[in-house]
């Protein structure tokens, strides 16, 4: 399931978010996402203060007013999305995960990293993402998502992320990573419509290892980027 929609904000709000300077890679919610056993942990704290500190730490050039106005806008956006997703998922109570990534340019994703997200809390999880500055997430809307995923899984199994080195340790295999992307790309070109989200265009999609999980990739990150994500689960 992939549900696309536009987030309505006025031009002044967009200008404030666009004015946020990004000199460091920061996600202020990262330290709140796991418990002591490294399991995903619901966030129930003060969104505004965490976001304010995130904007402040992203660059020394962000003024207090930019941090304040920016945090107000992003707090309202996330609270509204929690309400929207709870209604969409028919939930009264839920667990929540947030992402707010201030990202500097990198060549890491010049070649798309097509994948699906695993479960966070349960098989009923759904995820919302949107880019507010910089390039947007790439979504593959496939004619037969299950069939496409089966092909991707076979390729992933043949070219795993990690291999065992001479010291019997797991190491990341860039060769496998590149080969896998080389084989997956023509399948997606043939079987799917590739959509790159524009700024303030959001998407809600399924996660987990099931036939409805959304195939997606980070975009090319050739400019500073602000990425917002939210997972609701039970």
């Amino acid at each position: 399931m992939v549900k696309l929609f536009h987030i309505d904000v006025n031009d002044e709000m967009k200008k404030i978010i666009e004015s946020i300077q990004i000199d460091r890679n920061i996600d202020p919610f990262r330290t709140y996402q796991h418990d002591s056993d490294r399991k995903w942990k619901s966030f129930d704290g003060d969104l505004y203060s965490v976001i304010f500190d995130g904007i402040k730490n992203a660059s020394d050039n962000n003024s207090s007013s930019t941090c304040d106005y920016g945090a107000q806008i992003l707090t309202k956006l996330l609270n509204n999305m929690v309400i929207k997703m709870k209604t969409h998922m028919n939930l009264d109570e839920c667990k929540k995960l947030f992402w707010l990534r201030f990202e500097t340019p990198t060549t890491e994703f010049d070649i798309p990293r097509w994948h699906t997200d695993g479960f966070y809390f349960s098989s009923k999880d759904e995820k919302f993402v949107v880019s507010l500055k910089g390039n947007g997430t790439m979504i593959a809307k496939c004619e037969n998502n299950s069939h496409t995923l089966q092909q991707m899984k076979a390729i992933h199994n043949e070219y795993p992320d990690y291999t065992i080195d001479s010291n019997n340790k797991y190491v990341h295999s860039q060769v496998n990573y590149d080969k896998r992307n080389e084989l997956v790309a023509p399948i997606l070109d043939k079987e799917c419509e590739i959509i790159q989200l524009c700024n303030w265009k959001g998407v809600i999609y399924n996660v987990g290892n099931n036939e409805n999980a959304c195939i997606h990739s980070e975009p090319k990150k050739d400019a500073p980027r602000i990425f917002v994500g939210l997972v609701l689960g039970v």
Side-chain angles (χ1 to χ4, degrees):
M1 184 279 299
V2 173
K3 180 179 175 61
L4 301 167
F5 59 94
H6 189 74
I7 298 173
D8 292 322
V9 294
N10 62 46
D11 289 341
E12 185 61 30
M13 290 180 176
K14 290 181 180 179
K15 287 179 181 178
I16 291 170
I17 298 302
E18 183 63 31
S19 72
I20 295 174
Q21 300 297 301
I22 304 172
D23 297 320
R24 290 181 285 271
N25 291 307
I26 298 290
D27 185 345
F29 289 102
R30 185 179 181 125
T31 58
Y32 300 95
Q33 289 178 337
H34 297 93
D35 61 19
S36 58
D37 295 323
R38 298 302 297 167
K39 294 181 179 179
W40 294 104
K41 181 177 69 173
S42 179
F43 178 84
D44 297 302
D46 180 12
L47 284 173
Y48 172 86
S49 62
V50 174
I51 295 171
F52 183 101
D53 288 343
I55 298 173
K56 181 178 180 180
N57 291 329
S59 174
D60 296 336
N61 296 318
N62 290 324
S63 66
S64 293
S65 61
T66 296
C67 296
D68 176 35
Y69 292 139
Q72 290 184 49
I73 294 167
L74 294 173
T75 298
K76 183 177 181 180
L77 185 157
L78 285 171
N79 281 329
N80 287 343
M81 281 311 307
V82 169
I83 294 171
K84 182 182 180 74
M85 287 185 67
K86 285 177 70 173
T87 300
H88 169 74
M89 298 170 67
N90 195 27
L91 296 176
D92 292 323
E93 300 294 331
C94 63
K95 297 177 181 179
K96 303 183 290 288
L97 284 174
F98 297 99
W99 288 261
L100 176 58
R101 293 176 181 163
F102 299 97
E103 300 176 329
T104 58
T106 177
T107 59
E108 183 178 357
F109 301 106
D110 283 4
I111 298 175
R113 183 181 72 103
W114 294 108
H115 64 285
T116 60
D117 294 333
F119 292 132
Y120 295 91
F121 300 113
S122 76
S123 59
K124 297 181 180 180
D125 298 341
E126 293 189 14
K127 190 171 186 176
F128 156 77
V129 302
V130 65
S131 295
L132 308 182
K133 180 174 181 173
N135 292 329
T137 300
M138 298 168 66
I139 303 292
K141 291 187 69 174
C142 306
E143 294 181 7
N144 187 333
N145 202 70
S146 177
H147 177 66
T148 304
L149 281 176
Q150 288 175 5
Q151 295 176 82
M152 287 182 62
K153 185 176 181 179
I155 293 171
H156 280 229
N157 288 340
E158 186 173 357
Y159 299 97
D161 284 334
Y162 293 91
T163 57
I164 299 176
D165 66 10
S166 58
N167 295 318
N168 205 34
K169 293 184 178 180
Y170 283 98
V171 294
H172 174 70
S173 174
Q174 188 64 41
V175 172
N176 281 3
Y177 179 88
D178 293 340
K179 184 63 177 180
R180 198 169 65 209
N181 287 331
E182 177 186 330
L183 294 174
V184 167
I187 295 174
L188 298 184
D189 287 341
K190 180 181 179 181
E191 300 182 4
C192 311
E193 176 189 4
I194 306 300
I195 301 171
Q196 182 159 21
L197 302 179
C198 58
N199 289 165
W200 300 96
K201 181 112 181 220
V203 61
I204 297 174
Y205 61 74
N206 290 96
V207 300
N209 301 313
N210 61 59
E211 62 182 16
N212 295 318
C214 175
I215 302 168
H216 61 284
S217 174
E218 297 87 349
K220 185 175 182 178
K221 299 182 183 181
D222 54 2
R225 183 173 186 248
I226 299 177
F227 168 88
V228 176
L230 164 67
V231 163
L232 291 196
V234 293

